[in-house]
Amino acid sequence: MTGSTPKLWLNWLALAEWWFNTNYHTSLKMTLFQALYGYTPPHLAFPVQATTSVAVVHDYLLERDHMIQLLKEDLSKAQHRMKHFADNHRTDRSFVVGNWVFLKLQPYRPSFVALRTNMKLSAKYFGPFEVLQRIGNVAYKLKLPVESRIHPVFHVCQLKKKVGQHITTTLPPVDTSGSFIVTPIAVLDSRHILRGNNTILQILIQWARAPSEDATWEDANHIHSQFPDFILEDKDLPKEGVLSYN
């Protein structure tokens, strides 16, 4: 209303107020109208071809129909505009049985293992794998390795067709829930930090199947609790003073 006819919005303020008062409120478990008057508000629905002998009511109905038509047109324009910008970031992908595709998996460590969820795996796409079956319009079943515990059906947005020659990237090991198994393999550095009034020992962990630049600082006691078989040696302990915590 304010966009199409900015000078006339005041004439429709009463309808906006009526809509608000007759709208369901989750906190009250009812409408404001029902809370005040004790009964369900009437539905102000007028026939499309309503006729009346009162000139004021007739003019009101005409204005109301005109405003509803403007609202429908504005909503339609907004939907087309949103669709236009959304389609700019979409690609139409389709595969047939027998195609070889690469599989995109979540490139972050699982939350139940990670102390922070900012570590990336070295690979973004895995495979290629053969397409066995098309499931509906946007899902495909892949021929995964026998030892894989991942469900073989994936959305098309996770797949990319193999073109040319590529290096095969095997799937990382997963647990029974399908989450990546990530384990520490080396301590690159160590330090003490101040967290509040406490001094915390942190170690720079290099993770399996991840390059050294993806190493992350983790609390030593958390690493010990998550990976009890990972043993810290004396050479891993810090030889510097206390560092400030950011």
mmCIF file with all atom_site columns, all heavy atoms in Angstrom, residues 6-30:
data_model
loop_
_atom_site.group_PDB
_atom_site.id
_atom_site.type_symbol
_atom_site.label_atom_id
_atom_site.label_alt_id
_atom_site.label_comp_id
_atom_site.label_asym_id
_atom_site.label_entity_id
_atom_site.label_seq_id
_atom_site.pdbx_PDB_ins_code
_atom_site.Cartn_x
_atom_site.Cartn_y
_atom_site.Cartn_z
_atom_site.occupancy
_atom_site.B_iso_or_equiv
_atom_site.pdbx_formal_charge
_atom_site.auth_seq_id
_atom_site.auth_comp_id
_atom_site.auth_asym_id
_atom_site.auth_atom_id
_atom_site.pdbx_PDB_model_num
ATOM 1   N N   . PRO A 1 6  ? 1.393   5.898   -1.836 1.00 0.00 ? 6  PRO A N   1
ATOM 2   C CA  . PRO A 1 6  ? 1.903   6.398   -0.551 1.00 0.00 ? 6  PRO A CA  1
ATOM 3   C C   . PRO A 1 6  ? 1.036   7.466   0.098  1.00 0.00 ? 6  PRO A C   1
ATOM 4   O O   . PRO A 1 6  ? 1.098   7.660   1.311  1.00 0.00 ? 6  PRO A O   1
ATOM 5   C CB  . PRO A 1 6  ? 3.293   6.955   -0.919 1.00 0.00 ? 6  PRO A CB  1
ATOM 6   C CG  . PRO A 1 6  ? 3.214   7.252   -2.374 1.00 0.00 ? 6  PRO A CG  1
ATOM 7   C CD  . PRO A 1 6  ? 2.300   6.217   -2.953 1.00 0.00 ? 6  PRO A CD  1
ATOM 8   N N   . LYS A 1 7  ? 0.212   8.162   -0.679 1.00 0.00 ? 7  LYS A N   1
ATOM 9   C CA  . LYS A 1 7  ? -0.612  9.225   -0.115 1.00 0.00 ? 7  LYS A CA  1
ATOM 10  C C   . LYS A 1 7  ? -1.951  8.713   0.417  1.00 0.00 ? 7  LYS A C   1
ATOM 11  O O   . LYS A 1 7  ? -2.681  9.465   1.050  1.00 0.00 ? 7  LYS A O   1
ATOM 12  C CB  . LYS A 1 7  ? -0.867  10.294  -1.169 1.00 0.00 ? 7  LYS A CB  1
ATOM 13  C CG  . LYS A 1 7  ? 0.391   11.043  -1.606 1.00 0.00 ? 7  LYS A CG  1
ATOM 14  C CD  . LYS A 1 7  ? 0.064   12.134  -2.604 1.00 0.00 ? 7  LYS A CD  1
ATOM 15  C CE  . LYS A 1 7  ? 1.321   12.889  -3.026 1.00 0.00 ? 7  LYS A CE  1
ATOM 16  N NZ  . LYS A 1 7  ? 1.026   13.964  -4.004 1.00 0.00 ? 7  LYS A NZ  1
ATOM 17  N N   . LEU A 1 8  ? -2.239  7.430   0.140  1.00 0.00 ? 8  LEU A N   1
ATOM 18  C CA  . LEU A 1 8  ? -3.543  6.901   0.546  1.00 0.00 ? 8  LEU A CA  1
ATOM 19  C C   . LEU A 1 8  ? -3.448  5.851   1.656  1.00 0.00 ? 8  LEU A C   1
ATOM 20  O O   . LEU A 1 8  ? -4.468  5.275   2.032  1.00 0.00 ? 8  LEU A O   1
ATOM 21  C CB  . LEU A 1 8  ? -4.255  6.279   -0.672 1.00 0.00 ? 8  LEU A CB  1
ATOM 22  C CG  . LEU A 1 8  ? -4.551  7.214   -1.847 1.00 0.00 ? 8  LEU A CG  1
ATOM 23  C CD1 . LEU A 1 8  ? -5.225  6.443   -2.966 1.00 0.00 ? 8  LEU A CD1 1
ATOM 24  C CD2 . LEU A 1 8  ? -5.437  8.370   -1.391 1.00 0.00 ? 8  LEU A CD2 1
ATOM 25  N N   . TRP A 1 9  ? -2.224  5.605   2.158  1.00 0.00 ? 9  TRP A N   1
ATOM 26  C CA  . TRP A 1 9  ? -2.094  4.535   3.147  1.00 0.00 ? 9  TRP A CA  1
ATOM 27  C C   . TRP A 1 9  ? -2.888  4.827   4.415  1.00 0.00 ? 9  TRP A C   1
ATOM 28  O O   . TRP A 1 9  ? -3.346  3.912   5.097  1.00 0.00 ? 9  TRP A O   1
ATOM 29  C CB  . TRP A 1 9  ? -0.621  4.313   3.490  1.00 0.00 ? 9  TRP A CB  1
ATOM 30  C CG  . TRP A 1 9  ? -0.005  5.444   4.282  1.00 0.00 ? 9  TRP A CG  1
ATOM 31  C CD1 . TRP A 1 9  ? 0.625   6.527   3.799  1.00 0.00 ? 9  TRP A CD1 1
ATOM 32  C CD2 . TRP A 1 9  ? 0.022   5.556   5.715  1.00 0.00 ? 9  TRP A CD2 1
ATOM 33  N NE1 . TRP A 1 9  ? 1.052   7.340   4.816  1.00 0.00 ? 9  TRP A NE1 1
ATOM 34  C CE2 . TRP A 1 9  ? 0.706   6.762   6.017  1.00 0.00 ? 9  TRP A CE2 1
ATOM 35  C CE3 . TRP A 1 9  ? -0.447  4.777   6.772  1.00 0.00 ? 9  TRP A CE3 1
ATOM 36  C CZ2 . TRP A 1 9  ? 0.923   7.193   7.309  1.00 0.00 ? 9  TRP A CZ2 1
ATOM 37  C CZ3 . TRP A 1 9  ? -0.232  5.202   8.067  1.00 0.00 ? 9  TRP A CZ3 1
ATOM 38  C CH2 . TRP A 1 9  ? 0.449   6.396   8.330  1.00 0.00 ? 9  TRP A CH2 1
ATOM 39  N N   . LEU A 1 10 ? -3.072  6.101   4.739  1.00 0.00 ? 10 LEU A N   1
ATOM 40  C CA  . LEU A 1 10 ? -3.811  6.444   5.954  1.00 0.00 ? 10 LEU A CA  1
ATOM 41  C C   . LEU A 1 10 ? -5.263  5.985   5.870  1.00 0.00 ? 10 LEU A C   1
ATOM 42  O O   . LEU A 1 10 ? -5.880  5.654   6.883  1.00 0.00 ? 10 LEU A O   1
ATOM 43  C CB  . LEU A 1 10 ? -3.740  7.952   6.186  1.00 0.00 ? 10 LEU A CB  1
ATOM 44  C CG  . LEU A 1 10 ? -4.318  8.464   7.511  1.00 0.00 ? 10 LEU A CG  1
ATOM 45  C CD1 . LEU A 1 10 ? -3.572  7.851   8.689  1.00 0.00 ? 10 LEU A CD1 1
ATOM 46  C CD2 . LEU A 1 10 ? -4.252  9.978   7.575  1.00 0.00 ? 10 LEU A CD2 1
ATOM 47  N N   . ASN A 1 11 ? -5.810  5.932   4.649  1.00 0.00 ? 11 ASN A N   1
ATOM 48  C CA  . ASN A 1 11 ? -7.197  5.486   4.496  1.00 0.00 ? 11 ASN A CA  1
ATOM 49  C C   . ASN A 1 11 ? -7.373  4.010   4.833  1.00 0.00 ? 11 ASN A C   1
ATOM 50  O O   . ASN A 1 11 ? -8.482  3.572   5.153  1.00 0.00 ? 11 ASN A O   1
ATOM 51  C CB  . ASN A 1 11 ? -7.679  5.747   3.064  1.00 0.00 ? 11 ASN A CB  1
ATOM 52  C CG  . ASN A 1 11 ? -7.659  7.218   2.699  1.00 0.00 ? 11 ASN A CG  1
ATOM 53  O OD1 . ASN A 1 11 ? -7.716  8.086   3.580  1.00 0.00 ? 11 ASN A OD1 1
ATOM 54  N ND2 . ASN A 1 11 ? -7.559  7.517   1.421  1.00 0.00 ? 11 ASN A ND2 1
ATOM 55  N N   . TRP A 1 12 ? -6.264  3.245   4.751  1.00 0.00 ? 12 TRP A N   1
ATOM 56  C CA  . TRP A 1 12 ? -6.342  1.806   4.995  1.00 0.00 ? 12 TRP A CA  1
ATOM 57  C C   . TRP A 1 12 ? -5.746  1.415   6.340  1.00 0.00 ? 12 TRP A C   1
ATOM 58  O O   . TRP A 1 12 ? -5.578  0.247   6.617  1.00 0.00 ? 12 TRP A O   1
ATOM 59  C CB  . TRP A 1 12 ? -5.616  1.060   3.871  1.00 0.00 ? 12 TRP A CB  1
ATOM 60  C CG  . TRP A 1 12 ? -6.171  1.397   2.524  1.00 0.00 ? 12 TRP A CG  1
ATOM 61  C CD1 . TRP A 1 12 ? -5.699  2.316   1.641  1.00 0.00 ? 12 TRP A CD1 1
ATOM 62  C CD2 . TRP A 1 12 ? -7.340  0.840   1.924  1.00 0.00 ? 12 TRP A CD2 1
ATOM 63  N NE1 . TRP A 1 12 ? -6.479  2.366   0.529  1.00 0.00 ? 12 TRP A NE1 1
ATOM 64  C CE2 . TRP A 1 12 ? -7.496  1.465   0.664  1.00 0.00 ? 12 TRP A CE2 1
ATOM 65  C CE3 . TRP A 1 12 ? -8.274  -0.119  2.319  1.00 0.00 ? 12 TRP A CE3 1
ATOM 66  C CZ2 . TRP A 1 12 ? -8.536  1.152   -0.191 1.00 0.00 ? 12 TRP A CZ2 1
ATOM 67  C CZ3 . TRP A 1 12 ? -9.305  -0.435  1.462  1.00 0.00 ? 12 TRP A CZ3 1
ATOM 68  C CH2 . TRP A 1 12 ? -9.433  0.196   0.223  1.00 0.00 ? 12 TRP A CH2 1
ATOM 69  N N   . LEU A 1 13 ? -5.456  2.411   7.162  1.00 0.00 ? 13 LEU A N   1
ATOM 70  C CA  . LEU A 1 13 ? -4.870  2.121   8.467  1.00 0.00 ? 13 LEU A CA  1
ATOM 71  C C   . LEU A 1 13 ? -5.828  1.331   9.354  1.00 0.00 ? 13 LEU A C   1
ATOM 72  O O   . LEU A 1 13 ? -5.410  0.485   10.147 1.00 0.00 ? 13 LEU A O   1
ATOM 73  C CB  . LEU A 1 13 ? -4.472  3.433   9.154  1.00 0.00 ? 13 LEU A CB  1
ATOM 74  C CG  . LEU A 1 13 ? -3.666  3.305   10.451 1.00 0.00 ? 13 LEU A CG  1
ATOM 75  C CD1 . LEU A 1 13 ? -2.361  2.565   10.189 1.00 0.00 ? 13 LEU A CD1 1
ATOM 76  C CD2 . LEU A 1 13 ? -3.387  4.681   11.039 1.00 0.00 ? 13 LEU A CD2 1
ATOM 77  N N   . ALA A 1 14 ? -7.132  1.585   9.209  1.00 0.00 ? 14 ALA A N   1
ATOM 78  C CA  . ALA A 1 14 ? -8.112  0.851   10.016 1.00 0.00 ? 14 ALA A CA  1
ATOM 79  C C   . ALA A 1 14 ? -8.100  -0.631  9.691  1.00 0.00 ? 14 ALA A C   1
ATOM 80  O O   . ALA A 1 14 ? -8.231  -1.479  10.590 1.00 0.00 ? 14 ALA A O   1
ATOM 81  C CB  . ALA A 1 14 ? -9.501  1.438   9.788  1.00 0.00 ? 14 ALA A CB  1
ATOM 82  N N   . LEU A 1 15 ? -7.930  -0.984  8.400  1.00 0.00 ? 15 LEU A N   1
ATOM 83  C CA  . LEU A 1 15 ? -7.862  -2.397  8.023  1.00 0.00 ? 15 LEU A CA  1
ATOM 84  C C   . LEU A 1 15 ? -6.601  -3.053  8.564  1.00 0.00 ? 15 LEU A C   1
ATOM 85  O O   . LEU A 1 15 ? -6.628  -4.214  8.988  1.00 0.00 ? 15 LEU A O   1
ATOM 86  C CB  . LEU A 1 15 ? -7.924  -2.540  6.499  1.00 0.00 ? 15 LEU A CB  1
ATOM 87  C CG  . LEU A 1 15 ? -9.294  -2.399  5.851  1.00 0.00 ? 15 LEU A CG  1
ATOM 88  C CD1 . LEU A 1 15 ? -9.189  -2.611  4.352  1.00 0.00 ? 15 LEU A CD1 1
ATOM 89  C CD2 . LEU A 1 15 ? -10.289 -3.382  6.458  1.00 0.00 ? 15 LEU A CD2 1
ATOM 90  N N   . ALA A 1 16 ? -5.494  -2.316  8.547  1.00 0.00 ? 16 ALA A N   1
ATOM 91  C CA  . ALA A 1 16 ? -4.262  -2.859  9.108  1.00 0.00 ? 16 ALA A CA  1
ATOM 92  C C   . ALA A 1 16 ? -4.407  -3.109  10.605 1.00 0.00 ? 16 ALA A C   1
ATOM 93  O O   . ALA A 1 16 ? -3.951  -4.125  11.140 1.00 0.00 ? 16 ALA A O   1
ATOM 94  C CB  . ALA A 1 16 ? -3.100  -1.904  8.832  1.00 0.00 ? 16 ALA A CB  1
ATOM 95  N N   . GLU A 1 17 ? -5.092  -2.188  11.282 1.00 0.00 ? 17 GLU A N   1
ATOM 96  C CA  . GLU A 1 17 ? -5.338  -2.365  12.715 1.00 0.00 ? 17 GLU A CA  1
ATOM 97  C C   . GLU A 1 17 ? -6.271  -3.553  12.974 1.00 0.00 ? 17 GLU A C   1
ATOM 98  O O   . GLU A 1 17 ? -6.075  -4.321  13.916 1.00 0.00 ? 17 GLU A O   1
ATOM 99  C CB  . GLU A 1 17 ? -5.943  -1.094  13.294 1.00 0.00 ? 17 GLU A CB  1
ATOM 100 C CG  . GLU A 1 17 ? -6.146  -1.141  14.802 1.00 0.00 ? 17 GLU A CG  1
ATOM 101 C CD  . GLU A 1 17 ? -6.720  0.154   15.335 1.00 0.00 ? 17 GLU A CD  1
ATOM 102 O OE1 . GLU A 1 17 ? -6.951  1.074   14.535 1.00 0.00 ? 17 GLU A OE1 1
ATOM 103 O OE2 . GLU A 1 17 ? -6.944  0.243   16.557 1.00 0.00 ? 17 GLU A OE2 1
ATOM 104 N N   . TRP A 1 18 ? -7.286  -3.698  12.109 1.00 0.00 ? 18 TRP A N   1
ATOM 105 C CA  . TRP A 1 18 ? -8.205  -4.836  12.250 1.00 0.00 ? 18 TRP A CA  1
ATOM 106 C C   . TRP A 1 18 ? -7.463  -6.158  12.034 1.00 0.00 ? 18 TRP A C   1
ATOM 107 O O   . TRP A 1 18 ? -7.677  -7.123  12.754 1.00 0.00 ? 18 TRP A O   1
ATOM 108 C CB  . TRP A 1 18 ? -9.354  -4.690  11.251 1.00 0.00 ? 18 TRP A CB  1
ATOM 109 C CG  . TRP A 1 18 ? -10.241 -5.883  11.166 1.00 0.00 ? 18 TRP A CG  1
ATOM 110 C CD1 . TRP A 1 18 ? -10.196 -6.874  10.246 1.00 0.00 ? 18 TRP A CD1 1
ATOM 111 C CD2 . TRP A 1 18 ? -11.304 -6.224  12.060 1.00 0.00 ? 18 TRP A CD2 1
ATOM 112 N NE1 . TRP A 1 18 ? -11.153 -7.816  10.489 1.00 0.00 ? 18 TRP A NE1 1
ATOM 113 C CE2 . TRP A 1 18 ? -11.859 -7.436  11.603 1.00 0.00 ? 18 TRP A CE2 1
ATOM 114 C CE3 . TRP A 1 18 ? -11.847 -5.616  13.199 1.00 0.00 ? 18 TRP A CE3 1
ATOM 115 C CZ2 . TRP A 1 18 ? -12.919 -8.052  12.245 1.00 0.00 ? 18 TRP A CZ2 1
ATOM 116 C CZ3 . TRP A 1 18 ? -12.899 -6.237  13.835 1.00 0.00 ? 18 TRP A CZ3 1
ATOM 117 C CH2 . TRP A 1 18 ? -13.419 -7.440  13.360 1.00 0.00 ? 18 TRP A CH2 1
ATOM 118 N N   . TRP A 1 19 ? -6.585  -6.180  11.039 1.00 0.00 ? 19 TRP A N   1
ATOM 119 C CA  . TRP A 1 19 ? -5.804  -7.411  10.794 1.00 0.00 ? 19 TRP A CA  1
ATOM 120 C C   . TRP A 1 19 ? -4.954  -7.765  12.001 1.00 0.00 ? 19 TRP A C   1
ATOM 121 O O   . TRP A 1 19 ? -4.887  -8.931  12.405 1.00 0.00 ? 19 TRP A O   1
ATOM 122 C CB  . TRP A 1 19 ? -4.913  -7.207  9.567  1.00 0.00 ? 19 TRP A CB  1
ATOM 123 C CG  . TRP A 1 19 ? -3.935  -8.329  9.380  1.00 0.00 ? 19 TRP A CG  1
ATOM 124 C CD1 . TRP A 1 19 ? -4.127  -9.502  8.723  1.00 0.00 ? 19 TRP A CD1 1
ATOM 125 C CD2 . TRP A 1 19 ? -2.596  -8.389  9.901  1.00 0.00 ? 19 TRP A CD2 1
ATOM 126 N NE1 . TRP A 1 19 ? -3.008  -10.284 8.789  1.00 0.00 ? 19 TRP A NE1 1
ATOM 127 C CE2 . TRP A 1 19 ? -2.051  -9.623  9.513  1.00 0.00 ? 19 TRP A CE2 1
ATOM 128 C CE3 . TRP A 1 19 ? -1.815  -7.508  10.653 1.00 0.00 ? 19 TRP A CE3 1
ATOM 129 C CZ2 . TRP A 1 19 ? -0.761  -9.997  9.847  1.00 0.00 ? 19 TRP A CZ2 1
ATOM 130 C CZ3 . TRP A 1 19 ? -0.535  -7.889  10.990 1.00 0.00 ? 19 TRP A CZ3 1
ATOM 131 C CH2 . TRP A 1 19 ? -0.015  -9.112  10.587 1.00 0.00 ? 19 TRP A CH2 1
ATOM 132 N N   . PHE A 1 20 ? -4.302  -6.772  12.598 1.00 0.00 ? 20 PHE A N   1
ATOM 133 C CA  . PHE A 1 20 ? -3.443  -7.044  13.750 1.00 0.00 ? 20 PHE A CA  1
ATOM 134 C C   . PHE A 1 20 ? -4.251  -7.559  14.924 1.00 0.00 ? 20 PHE A C   1
ATOM 135 O O   . PHE A 1 20 ? -3.843  -8.503  15.613 1.00 0.00 ? 20 PHE A O   1
ATOM 136 C CB  . PHE A 1 20 ? -2.687  -5.771  14.132 1.00 0.00 ? 20 PHE A CB  1
ATOM 137 C CG  . PHE A 1 20 ? -1.774  -5.946  15.321 1.00 0.00 ? 20 PHE A CG  1
ATOM 138 C CD1 . PHE A 1 20 ? -0.523  -6.513  15.166 1.00 0.00 ? 20 PHE A CD1 1
ATOM 139 C CD2 . PHE A 1 20 ? -2.175  -5.548  16.589 1.00 0.00 ? 20 PHE A CD2 1
ATOM 140 C CE1 . PHE A 1 20 ? 0.313   -6.690  16.257 1.00 0.00 ? 20 PHE A CE1 1
ATOM 141 C CE2 . PHE A 1 20 ? -1.347  -5.718  17.682 1.00 0.00 ? 20 PHE A CE2 1
ATOM 142 C CZ  . PHE A 1 20 ? -0.094  -6.296  17.510 1.00 0.00 ? 20 PHE A CZ  1
ATOM 143 N N   . ASN A 1 21 ? -5.401  -6.962  15.182 1.00 0.00 ? 21 ASN A N   1
ATOM 144 C CA  . ASN A 1 21 ? -6.209  -7.348  16.333 1.00 0.00 ? 21 ASN A CA  1
ATOM 145 C C   . ASN A 1 21 ? -6.898  -8.689  16.143 1.00 0.00 ? 21 ASN A C   1
ATOM 146 O O   . ASN A 1 21 ? -7.294  -9.328  17.123 1.00 0.00 ? 21 ASN A O   1
ATOM 147 C CB  . ASN A 1 21 ? -7.252  -6.272  16.640 1.00 0.00 ? 21 ASN A CB  1
ATOM 148 C CG  . ASN A 1 21 ? -6.638  -4.993  17.162 1.00 0.00 ? 21 ASN A CG  1
ATOM 149 O OD1 . ASN A 1 21 ? -5.569  -5.006  17.780 1.00 0.00 ? 21 ASN A OD1 1
ATOM 150 N ND2 . ASN A 1 21 ? -7.287  -3.864  16.894 1.00 0.00 ? 21 ASN A ND2 1
ATOM 151 N N   . THR A 1 22 ? -7.082  -9.108  14.887 1.00 0.00 ? 22 THR A N   1
ATOM 152 C CA  . THR A 1 22 ? -7.740  -10.398 14.638 1.00 0.00 ? 22 THR A CA  1
ATOM 153 C C   . THR A 1 22 ? -6.755  -11.487 14.247 1.00 0.00 ? 22 THR A C   1
ATOM 154 O O   . THR A 1 22 ? -7.169  -12.578 13.867 1.00 0.00 ? 22 THR A O   1
ATOM 155 C CB  . THR A 1 22 ? -8.785  -10.239 13.520 1.00 0.00 ? 22 THR A CB  1
ATOM 156 O OG1 . THR A 1 22 ? -8.144  -9.732  12.338 1.00 0.00 ? 22 THR A OG1 1
ATOM 157 C CG2 . THR A 1 22 ? -9.895  -9.291  13.953 1.00 0.00 ? 22 THR A CG2 1
ATOM 158 N N   . ASN A 1 23 ? -5.470  -11.183 14.345 1.00 0.00 ? 23 ASN A N   1
ATOM 159 C CA  . ASN A 1 23 ? -4.455  -12.180 14.042 1.00 0.00 ? 23 ASN A CA  1
ATOM 160 C C   . ASN A 1 23 ? -4.139  -12.999 15.290 1.00 0.00 ? 23 ASN A C   1
ATOM 161 O O   . ASN A 1 23 ? -4.153  -12.494 16.406 1.00 0.00 ? 23 ASN A O   1
ATOM 162 C CB  . ASN A 1 23 ? -3.185  -11.504 13.526 1.00 0.00 ? 23 ASN A CB  1
ATOM 163 C CG  . ASN A 1 23 ? -2.298  -12.482 12.777 1.00 0.00 ? 23 ASN A CG  1
ATOM 164 O OD1 . ASN A 1 23 ? -2.783  -13.452 12.202 1.00 0.00 ? 23 ASN A OD1 1
ATOM 165 N ND2 . ASN A 1 23 ? -1.000  -12.221 12.774 1.00 0.00 ? 23 ASN A ND2 1
ATOM 166 N N   . TYR A 1 24 ? -3.832  -14.281 15.103 1.00 0.00 ? 24 TYR A N   1
ATOM 167 C CA  . TYR A 1 24 ? -3.587  -15.182 16.228 1.00 0.00 ? 24 TYR A CA  1
ATOM 168 C C   . TYR A 1 24 ? -2.251  -14.868 16.890 1.00 0.00 ? 24 TYR A C   1
ATOM 169 O O   . TYR A 1 24 ? -1.235  -14.698 16.223 1.00 0.00 ? 24 TYR A O   1
ATOM 170 C CB  . TYR A 1 24 ? -3.595  -16.632 15.737 1.00 0.00 ? 24 TYR A CB  1
ATOM 171 C CG  . TYR A 1 24 ? -3.409  -17.656 16.835 1.00 0.00 ? 24 TYR A CG  1
ATOM 172 C CD1 . TYR A 1 24 ? -4.486  -18.056 17.622 1.00 0.00 ? 24 TYR A CD1 1
ATOM 173 C CD2 . TYR A 1 24 ? -2.163  -18.217 17.072 1.00 0.00 ? 24 TYR A CD2 1
ATOM 174 C CE1 . TYR A 1 24 ? -4.320  -19.009 18.619 1.00 0.00 ? 24 TYR A CE1 1
ATOM 175 C CE2 . TYR A 1 24 ? -1.996  -19.161 18.070 1.00 0.00 ? 24 TYR A CE2 1
ATOM 176 C CZ  . TYR A 1 24 ? -3.070  -19.552 18.849 1.00 0.00 ? 24 TYR A CZ  1
ATOM 177 O OH  . TYR A 1 24 ? -2.908  -20.492 19.834 1.00 0.00 ? 24 TYR A OH  1
ATOM 178 N N   . HIS A 1 25 ? -2.247  -14.770 18.223 1.00 0.00 ? 25 HIS A N   1
ATOM 179 C CA  . HIS A 1 25 ? -1.041  -14.509 18.997 1.00 0.00 ? 25 HIS A CA  1
ATOM 180 C C   . HIS A 1 25 ? -0.664  -15.774 19.757 1.00 0.00 ? 25 HIS A C   1
ATOM 181 O O   . HIS A 1 25 ? -1.470  -16.321 20.516 1.00 0.00 ? 25 HIS A O   1
ATOM 182 C CB  . HIS A 1 25 ? -1.271  -13.352 19.984 1.00 0.00 ? 25 HIS A CB  1
ATOM 183 C CG  . HIS A 1 25 ? -1.291  -12.003 19.337 1.00 0.00 ? 25 HIS A CG  1
ATOM 184 N ND1 . HIS A 1 25 ? -0.372  -11.023 19.611 1.00 0.00 ? 25 HIS A ND1 1
ATOM 185 C CD2 . HIS A 1 25 ? -2.124  -11.478 18.405 1.00 0.00 ? 25 HIS A CD2 1
ATOM 186 C CE1 . HIS A 1 25 ? -0.634  -9.944  18.896 1.00 0.00 ? 25 HIS A CE1 1
ATOM 187 N NE2 . HIS A 1 25 ? -1.699  -10.205 18.159 1.00 0.00 ? 25 HIS A NE2 1
ATOM 188 N N   . THR A 1 26 ? 0.555   -16.228 19.554 1.00 0.00 ? 26 THR A N   1
ATOM 189 C CA  . THR A 1 26 ? 0.990   -17.464 20.203 1.00 0.00 ? 26 THR A CA  1
ATOM 190 C C   . THR A 1 26 ? 1.079   -17.314 21.713 1.00 0.00 ? 26 THR A C   1
ATOM 191 O O   . THR A 1 26 ? 0.876   -18.282 22.440 1.00 0.00 ? 26 THR A O   1
ATOM 192 C CB  . THR A 1 26 ? 2.364   -17.880 19.642 1.00 0.00 ? 26 THR A CB  1
ATOM 193 O OG1 . THR A 1 26 ? 3.298   -16.796 19.804 1.00 0.00 ? 26 THR A OG1 1
ATOM 194 C CG2 . THR A 1 26 ? 2.263   -18.220 18.156 1.00 0.00 ? 26 THR A CG2 1
ATOM 195 N N   . SER A 1 27 ? 1.406   -16.124 22.197 1.00 0.00 ? 27 SER A N   1
ATOM 196 C CA  . SER A 1 27 ? 1.510   -15.932 23.643 1.00 0.00 ? 27 SER A CA  1
ATOM 197 C C   . SER A 1 27 ? 0.138   -15.978 24.312 1.00 0.00 ? 27 SER A C   1
ATOM 198 O O   . SER A 1 27 ? -0.009  -16.508 25.419 1.00 0.00 ? 27 SER A O   1
ATOM 199 C CB  . SER A 1 27 ? 2.207   -14.609 23.954 1.00 0.00 ? 27 SER A CB  1
ATOM 200 O OG  . SER A 1 27 ? 1.502   -13.523 23.368 1.00 0.00 ? 27 SER A OG  1
ATOM 201 N N   . LEU A 1 28 ? -0.881  -15.424 23.653 1.00 0.00 ? 28 LEU A N   1
ATOM 202 C CA  . LEU A 1 28 ? -2.234  -15.428 24.214 1.00 0.00 ? 28 LEU A CA  1
ATOM 203 C C   . LEU A 1 28 ? -3.015  -16.687 23.873 1.00 0.00 ? 28 LEU A C   1
ATOM 204 O O   . LEU A 1 28 ? -4.033  -16.971 24.505 1.00 0.00 ? 28 LEU A O   1
ATOM 205 C CB  . LEU A 1 28 ? -3.014  -14.206 23.699 1.00 0.00 ? 28 LEU A CB  1
ATOM 206 C CG  . LEU A 1 28 ? -2.486  -12.821 24.085 1.00 0.00 ? 28 LEU A CG  1
ATOM 207 C CD1 . LEU A 1 28 ? -3.328  -11.748 23.425 1.00 0.00 ? 28 LEU A CD1 1
ATOM 208 C CD2 . LEU A 1 28 ? -2.480  -12.647 25.594 1.00 0.00 ? 28 LEU A CD2 1
ATOM 209 N N   . LYS A 1 29 ? -2.557  -17.412 22.853 1.00 0.00 ? 29 LYS A N   1
ATOM 210 C CA  . LYS A 1 29 ? -3.280  -18.586 22.343 1.00 0.00 ? 29 LYS A CA  1
ATOM 211 C C   . LYS A 1 29 ? -4.646  -18.191 21.777 1.00 0.00 ? 29 LYS A C   1
ATOM 212 O O   . LYS A 1 29 ? -5.564  -19.010 21.702 1.00 0.00 ? 29 LYS A O   1
ATOM 213 C CB  . LYS A 1 29 ? -3.453  -19.658 23.426 1.00 0.00 ? 29 LYS A CB  1
ATOM 214 C CG  . LYS A 1 29 ? -2.171  -20.092 24.104 1.00 0.00 ? 29 LYS A CG  1
ATOM 215 C CD  . LYS A 1 29 ? -1.176  -20.665 23.118 1.00 0.00 ? 29 LYS A CD  1
ATOM 216 C CE  . LYS A 1 29 ? 0.101   -21.131 23.821 1.00 0.00 ? 29 LYS A CE  1
ATOM 217 N NZ  . LYS A 1 29 ? 1.106   -21.641 22.876 1.00 0.00 ? 29 LYS A NZ  1
ATOM 218 N N   . MET A 1 30 ? -4.767  -16.958 21.371 1.00 0.00 ? 30 MET A N   1
ATOM 219 C CA  . MET A 1 30 ? -6.007  -16.462 20.774 1.00 0.00 ? 30 MET A CA  1
ATOM 220 C C   . MET A 1 30 ? -5.708  -15.100 20.150 1.00 0.00 ? 30 MET A C   1
ATOM 221 O O   . MET A 1 30 ? -4.582  -14.600 20.234 1.00 0.00 ? 30 MET A O   1
ATOM 222 C CB  . MET A 1 30 ? -7.117  -16.336 21.821 1.00 0.00 ? 30 MET A CB  1
ATOM 223 C CG  . MET A 1 30 ? -6.818  -15.340 22.930 1.00 0.00 ? 30 MET A CG  1
ATOM 224 S SD  . MET A 1 30 ? -8.139  -15.207 24.160 1.00 0.00 ? 30 MET A SD  1
ATOM 225 C CE  . MET A 1 30 ? -8.077  -16.834 24.875 1.00 0.00 ? 30 MET A CE  1
#
